[in-house]
Amino acid sequence: MLCAHCSQFFGVNAVKNQRGKGFGAQLQCPHCDAWLGKSPLLSRFKMLGFYLAVVALGYGYFTPEMRNLTTPIAILAVMVLLVSHMMDHLKVVEAPEKLDIDDSEHRQKYR
């Protein structure tokens, strides 16, 4: 996975902290300690598009007289699935606190 805050890659096994369950689950980046999560609404659209496409294609396959109706429904469901999949990325839910570092000595050296 790619952290949206520090732009570093990390594996699923590297995640130490997780909060929430289901579609609203959030995880903490092991590098920068930012909390990351996906949109629950887009995840539901993705699941809805997938199951609607499978049901429409299955029903149209076994009932040939309904193919004129089930084929466009399946196409629209796959379009919803693909668009929601492309938009569903990890985003920063809670950024870590910035620490103020006193670097006046370092800056004074180069003045």
Side-chain angles (χ1 to χ4, degrees):
M1 289 189 273
L2 178 66
C3 178
H5 187 259
C6 66
S7 300
Q8 292 188 9
F9 287 101
F10 61 93
V12 176
N13 295 333
V15 174
K16 303 259 188 291
N17 296 327
Q18 179 180 351
R19 62 183 178 193
K21 291 186 178 183
F23 292 123
Q26 298 172 359
L27 52 98
Q28 192 173 23
C29 175
H31 301 290
C32 66
D33 295 332
W35 284 97
L36 309 169
K38 290 187 175 190
S39 171
L41 183 65
L42 288 174
S43 296
R44 285 189 177 111
F45 276 140
K46 192 186 321 184
M47 184 178 285
L48 176 77
F50 174 75
Y51 285 118
L52 186 62
V54 167
V55 167
L57 288 173
Y59 188 69
Y61 181 77
F62 291 112
T63 56
E65 61 273 0
M66 293 298 289
R67 283 190 188 153
N68 291 336
L69 179 65
T70 58
T71 302
I73 292 173
I75 290 171
L76 289 174
V78 169
M79 288 171 59
V80 167
L81 168 70
L82 292 176
V83 169
S84 62
H85 180 69
M86 287 189 296
M87 293 175 59
D88 194 22
H89 296 289
L90 283 175
K91 60 184 177 188
V92 178
V93 176
E94 185 180 323
E97 296 180 11
K98 280 190 164 183
L99 300 174
D100 293 330
I101 300 171
D102 184 25
D103 62 344
S104 59
E105 292 179 15
H106 181 71
R107 285 190 277 151
Q108 186 67 27
K109 186 178 6 176
Y110 292 106
R111 287 189 179 172

